[in-house]
Amino acid sequence: MSNLDQDYEMKCKHFIFLKEKYQANNYEDNSPHSLLYLILRKTDLGLEISESELNWLAENKLTQVINLISMQKYRKGELKRLEAEFSQLKEKYNINRTWESSSSSFLYPILWKLDTQGDLDSQDIQLLRDHNLSQLIAILQDIKNFAALKEKYQATGYPDLLPDKILYPILKKLDKFQPLDNSEDEWLWENDLLETIEVSEQQKSERQAKFNQLKEKYQATEHLDVSTSSRLCEILQKLEDNRKLNYLDEDWLSQKGLTETLAIAKKLEQEREFTTLKVKYKAEKYPDTSVNSELYVILRKIESGENLSDSDLQFLADKELIDTLAIANEKYAISLQKKAALGNFLEDAEITWLSNHGYENIITFAEQKHFASLKRKYQIINPNLPIDPFYGIMLKLERKERLESLLVIKLIEKGMLSRDGEIARTHYRQEAEFFEKEYQRTGNKWNIPTASKFWRKANEIEQALKITNLDLGRIRENRLKSAILVTRGAAFRDDDQLDNAEKCAKQAMEYQPDTHQPYTLMGAICYDRYEYPEGDYWFEKAVEFGAEIKDIDAEIKQVIRNEKDEDKRHQAAEYLLNKDAQRYAWANNYLR
């Protein structure tokens, strides 16, 4: 047999095979030269069939072949359709766009089942957990909840499988026994969910009856509002649920004149507090729950950190509330420790209590913290300042108690206390206030120059000038007039009002020419003016009338120390050294 014959025979067999495959056996012609053979070969290879070829098939009544070709053509687009459906499902269920897009993904059948059946098996759920798709599990739960609520509230006639934005919230409201608003009621009517509406109406009746009962129970019947959506209903439900009212609720009740309701609310709050405090402070075995109980008052004291009275302690002991007593003591001790930690001073009674209950460590801690706080207040930066005697000194100042002047002078002389420091100034201020009060109490005008002196030392010049600003004509004693003028002149000098200071000094000399204080003041004024020889003249007059040379030298030393101009200070030092190098040897310090 030739090759051509063999080829022809194979084509015939192939044609018969294709006719059987595409159900075209009713076409009698088996010749491979038939147009049908060409069409079937193209169909089998997935090639496009032309319109004329389809018409030929129709003319030859090969309907089954046409159907198979159409099905094959449909199958060509199936993959794209699958992928499109998968994408739509992913978008519907908020799956990240980066997730695998292949229709062969394990997620596709899960989303399909979720969307069409509203249910997944345990294997599906585990796959979702393994791939961190917990949101789908939550959606599944919502679907099940939705179905259960539809069944419970007779809304199964609603076709949607997935929870929607209208019915699902409505059913959840009904399940929580919450009222529906008008738009929700209308939606139920529009969707013919009559049985669900009946459930809603039944709940309305029950809520209204409950509201009426609550108004009776909490003595609010005078309020005319009958709506279960009212503010009053909300407040009364809070009381019924044993929840605390906020200040807005209480204010509303007060404004509406519902004083009895407000009183009940406050009593309930006290009862809740009492129960909580009994548990907190281990007093549950005490049976009385009345807020009028003595125990309630005691527990509130403990809660606030207040010290218990002897009668409170005796009550706890009598009721064998030993644990409560121990907690109370510990809490009070801790509150005192916190107070001390802030640098606050403990009262004598508090210190006594700590000592009696064995808290010596807190007493020591309190003293150290308070000492540190007082050091800051009095601007003491010395870290090695001894607690004795300075803690006692500062405590006295805090209590407005006078210090012993000799002690202050002694500490200043030893260099342990600055004459210009806050402790010294506070001491001077308190002394000035003391002598002012003595003057007011007794009328003794000799307290005036003394008070002025201390005001000057406290660097409160205005006060010193204020107390010495009086009519000297009403004072008989010239010695007192002179003393007042000297201290007033010194205050003017402190304020750099040297002309006024000079007037006071010379007027004081007129009243008492045989005392050294006015002359000492005049000498200091001259030195302030850099009139050193003139100043020496007045200092010599002061010595002539009883001034000690060491006091004069101290005055000169202070003038030079207080001079701010270095050149002037240098000139003054040279003047003194030229005058008497041995007597004024200290002036060498100002030449370096």
Side-chain angles (χ1 to χ4, degrees), residues 76-93:
K76 282 184 179 180
E78 184 66 359
L79 179 60
K80 290 184 178 180
R81 282 190 293 275
L82 287 172
E83 290 177 350
E85 288 174 3
F86 186 28
S87 296
Q88 290 171 1
L89 288 172
K90 289 195 298 179
E91 184 175 353
K92 183 175 182 178
Y93 292 100

Side-chain angles (χ1 to χ4, degrees), residues 322-560:
I322 307 304
D323 290 339
T324 308
L325 186 58
I327 294 172
N329 286 340
E330 184 65 21
K331 187 176 176 67
Y332 184 58
I334 291 172
S335 72
L336 294 181
Q337 187 173 25
K338 288 180 179 178
K339 179 180 178 181
L342 295 173
N344 296 321
F345 177 60
L346 298 185
E347 303 294 336
D348 290 341
E350 294 170 334
I351 294 173
T352 300
W353 185 92
L354 288 170
S355 179
N356 292 340
H357 289 81
Y359 290 103
E360 299 294 338
N361 59 320
I362 296 180
I363 295 175
T364 302
F365 172 77
E367 288 180 348
Q368 292 171 344
K369 294 297 290 186
H370 193 223
F371 181 48
S373 175
L374 292 177
K375 282 170 62 179
R376 287 192 296 272
K377 178 177 180 179
Y378 289 98
Q379 302 175 18
I380 298 173
I381 59 175
N382 181 5
N384 300 316
L385 188 74
I387 195 168
D388 183 32
F390 288 98
Y391 183 50
I393 288 173
M394 288 187 284
L395 281 181
K396 278 192 170 185
L397 293 177
E398 288 295 291
R399 294 167 178 160
K400 304 294 184 183
E401 296 177 9
R402 297 176 69 199
L403 301 181
E404 296 179 17
S405 293
L406 289 177
L407 173 62
V408 175
I409 293 170
K410 183 178 179 181
L411 292 172
I412 290 174
E413 289 176 347
K414 287 184 175 181
M416 298 176 70
L417 192 66
S418 169
R419 68 176 66 251
D420 300 318
E422 192 60 31
I423 287 181
R425 283 201 299 271
T426 304
H427 160 64
Y428 296 143
R429 189 181 304 112
Q430 290 185 359
E431 288 296 292
E433 290 171 348
F434 169 79
F435 284 105
E436 275 202 19
K437 289 177 181 177
E438 281 296 292
Y439 164 58
Q440 294 166 0
R441 184 179 67 85
T442 65
N444 184 353
K445 290 185 174 61
W446 276 104
N447 289 306
I448 293 175
T450 307
S452 176
K453 175 185 70 175
F454 282 113
W455 280 126
R456 288 183 54 235
K457 287 187 174 183
N459 199 29
E460 297 194 28
I461 308 306
E462 288 185 7
Q463 293 294 331
L465 292 172
K466 181 180 177 181
I467 194 173
T468 55
N469 185 19
L470 42 77
D471 183 3
L472 296 180
R474 303 181 65 177
I475 300 175
R476 294 180 180 179
E477 191 176 355
N478 285 342
R479 191 164 64 96
L480 175 57
K481 293 179 183 180
S482 179
I484 293 172
L485 285 166
V486 167
T487 187
R488 182 171 177 79
F492 277 128
R493 178 177 167 242
D494 293 338
D495 200 37
D496 290 331
Q497 298 186 46
L498 298 182
D499 290 344
N500 286 332
E502 181 179 353
K503 290 177 183 177
C504 289
K506 290 186 174 178
Q507 194 175 358
M509 294 176 195
E510 294 176 5
Y511 283 120
Q512 193 178 15
D514 57 351
T515 186
H516 63 83
Q517 286 89 352
Y519 303 102
T520 303
L521 173 60
M522 195 63 214
I525 292 169
C526 290
Y527 262 68
D528 287 337
R529 291 170 169 166
Y530 316 120
E531 299 169 354
Y532 307 124
E534 180 73 12
D536 289 339
Y537 166 77
W538 290 112
F539 282 137
E540 289 169 6
K541 293 285 288 184
V543 172
E544 181 182 335
F545 289 110
E548 297 285 341
I549 291 179
K550 62 181 181 64
D551 294 332
I552 298 298
D553 288 352
E555 190 70 43
I556 294 173
K557 185 183 293 186
Q558 184 177 358
V559 171
I560 295 183

Side-chain angles (χ1 to χ4, degrees), residues 22 34 37 110 123 134 168 191 222 225 232 261 278 280 311 331 364 368 377 405 462 481 575:
Y22 291 100
S34 168
Y37 183 41
I110 291 178
Q123 187 176 2
S134 57
Y168 191 33
N191 286 272
E222 293 180 2
D225 196 341
L232 177 61
T261 309
K278 284 171 75 174
K280 183 175 182 178
S311 61
K331 187 176 176 67
T364 302
Q368 292 171 344
K377 178 177 180 179
S405 293
E462 288 185 7
K481 293 179 183 180
Y575 171 79

